[in-house]
Amino acid sequence: MGQRSGCQGRSKTLELTLSETMNTEADVQNNEEEAKEPKAKEQRITSVFGVADLKNGAIGLYNVGQTCCLNSVLQVFLMNIHFTGILRRITVPPHAAQQSKNVPYQMLLLLEEMQCGKRKAVSPINLAWCLSGYRVELFVQHDAAQLFLTVWNLIKRQMKKPELVEELSDLYTICVQEHLTCQKCSFETKRNSSMLTLPLPVLDSNSHMLKTLEDCLQYFFQPEELTDHNMCFCEQCERKTPFLQSMKLVHLPQTLTIHLKRFCFKKSAYILKLSHSLPFPQDLDFNAVLTENQCQADDSEKAAWQYELFAVVAHSGSTSCGHYCTYIRSLTECKWYCFNDSEVCQVSWDDVKCTYGHSNLHWGETAYLLIYMKKHPQ
Ligand code: ZN
């Protein structure tokens, strides 16, 4: 698991995140059904859908073929009222054949079933089958970070309405600016990029463990010298020279997804899970973590960089044999829940803190995705 999201180097991570995103988009574009589908009719679900969010606590999802990873990712989507607010306004595909292949529509049906509130858990089998048509196979242990990107891109591609696509992008997209400066002539290039997750290494360049989430963020935005075999070609010097690479934070979204890169390659194909303790706060202020130099944003943008923790997707077990569950703070009740497939129980913040990890507990639970929400939406 976690193969492509495994390496610890920062410089490569951004490209990886983006190319993964693009690959997924390309997959969807190639889907024939997508191309054949007639112009969407303005059909909307109004009756039973979306009367209220999951107010009556929380509903589990049955494991229907190693779907603990999918279930965890789905709960993070469906417990987010900002996301479900968009999902409810999708156009319903006109034909049954299209409906069964439409990821956002199948998600909406699942949400409706969960909202009926009659059962402690419901089955995500129709959505799981739908996703299996897009190479998200059943009976395979997926990587939660990769699965989040895949599902997100499928939703975006299949939503059709441009205004919803824009809202979905706004809700999740992080904007950064990459700077590359030649150390010989000071020639500088800038490039704007967007990401769906902040892929944070949990080790520094000397393979030392970073101690807190704030340290990981600080390290991620620290300038990096590109020397020796990492040198870049400078247009002005007309040869390969040492460069300084830095990344500045431009914009943070309402729903911010942080990916802790706990899976790393060691010795050929062997993937190691890093389970050391890495505390993360409930309240996170990016202005207190990053320096002025690490930001490229105006005061009103920065004023909104106050976050509180919404969800933790946690992994336990080894890289080859593991299990996912999710801790979510209900936005309507302000209570923490643990979603472990069909089992859902209320938990305390101390229980959530157990996902910080522990060096001596390699099979223990560790946070893998952290989802933060803006305290004061703009
Ligand atoms: Zn130069």
Side-chain angles (χ1 to χ4, degrees), residues 42 86 89 160-168:
E42 282 295 307
I86 298 171
R89 288 179 285 142
K160 307 283 185 218
K161 284 186 189 167
E163 68 270 26
L164 293 188
V165 171
E166 199 182 327
E167 276 183 53
L168 184 75

Side-chain angles (χ1 to χ4, degrees), residues 318-377:
S318 69
T319 49
S320 55
C321 175
H323 179 69
Y324 281 102
C325 70
T326 294
Y327 296 84
I328 300 177
R329 188 173 173 270
S330 157
L331 294 171
T332 47
E333 296 172 297
C334 300
K335 288 176 192 162
W336 280 100
Y337 287 94
C338 176
F339 296 81
N340 187 359
D341 288 327
S342 58
E343 298 298 320
V344 182
C345 58
Q346 203 189 319
V347 293
S348 67
W349 169 238
D350 279 337
D351 294 319
V352 182
K353 286 203 287 190
C354 289
T355 65
Y356 283 176
H358 196 292
S359 295
N360 296 330
L361 294 172
H362 294 298
W363 286 71
E365 227 179 357
T366 49
Y368 186 50
L369 297 179
L370 298 172
I371 297 93
Y372 281 89
M373 291 261 187
K374 253 179 200 170
K375 284 185 187 172
H376 314 287

Side-chain angles (χ1 to χ4, degrees), residues 181-187 231 234 237 239-243:
T181 315
C182 171
Q183 297 298 83
K184 295 282 179 212
C185 72
S186 301
F187 176 71
M231 290 199 298
C234 172
C237 299
R239 64 187 170 92
K240 277 194 166 186
T241 58
F243 267 77

Side-chain angles (χ1 to χ4, degrees), residues 118-323:
K118 300 237 166 69
R119 285 175 287 166
K120 70 157 197 157
V122 300
S123 167
I125 189 68
N126 291 337
L127 178 56
W129 272 119
C130 169
L131 286 167
S132 70
Y134 303 98
R135 288 190 247 160
V136 181
E137 287 157 48
L138 276 162
F139 303 104
V140 171
Q141 181 63 281
H142 295 280
D143 175 277
Q146 180 61 53
L147 189 61
F148 167 72
L149 291 178
T150 305
V151 172
W152 191 92
N153 277 298
L154 285 166
I155 297 166
K156 186 185 163 202
R157 176 67 60 193
Q158 299 179 355
M159 262 186 167
K160 307 283 185 218
K161 284 186 189 167
E163 68 270 26
L164 293 188
V165 171
E166 199 182 327
E167 276 183 53
L168 184 75
S169 297
D170 284 351
L171 185 58
Y172 289 95
T173 308
I174 304 152
C175 302
V176 295
Q177 194 172 63
E178 285 180 281
H179 290 240
L180 271 175
T181 315
C182 171
Q183 297 298 83
K184 295 282 179 212
C185 72
S186 301
F187 176 71
E188 190 183 34
T189 53
K190 293 177 197 172
R191 189 177 71 146
N192 289 319
S193 320
S194 52
M195 306 185 274
L196 284 179
T197 64
L198 274 184
L200 300 187
V202 297
L203 300 178
D204 69 12
S205 54
N206 299 314
S207 296
H208 292 141
M209 292 166 186
L210 293 162
K211 292 197 169 60
T212 63
L213 178 71
E214 290 90 333
D215 288 348
C216 296
L217 283 166
Q218 178 58 237
Y219 177 72
F220 184 75
F221 285 98
Q222 227 165 52
E224 190 181 359
E225 280 183 24
L226 304 177
T227 54
D228 303 325
H229 63 278
N230 287 325
M231 290 199 298
C232 302
F233 185 83
C234 172
E235 286 172 35
Q236 241 162 251
C237 299
E238 294 184 318
R239 64 187 170 92
K240 277 194 166 186
T241 58
F243 267 77
L244 190 72
Q245 184 187 43
S246 61
M247 190 144 46
K248 291 175 194 267
L249 187 56
V250 176
H251 171 73
L252 286 174
Q254 166 64 26
T255 300
L256 172 67
T257 308
I258 293 176
H259 168 202
L260 298 175
K261 294 170 66 186
R262 282 189 178 272
F263 298 100
C264 82
F265 282 109
K266 279 274 159 99
K267 289 169 199 153
S268 68
Y270 180 65
I271 307 166
L272 184 78
K273 182 177 169 185
L274 303 161
S275 33
H276 67 272
S277 173
L278 193 94
F280 45 84
Q282 272 190 285
D283 294 290
L284 180 60
D285 177 2
F286 276 76
N287 295 300
V289 178
L290 301 183
T291 64
E292 197 71 23
N293 260 339
Q294 293 167 322
C295 310
Q296 184 73 54
D298 61 22
D299 289 345
S300 73
E301 167 65 30
K302 281 175 163 179
W305 288 358
Q306 315 274 341
Y307 282 84
E308 59 189 345
L309 189 61
F310 162 64
V312 178
V313 175
H315 178 267
S316 52
S318 69
T319 49
S320 55
C321 175
H323 179 69

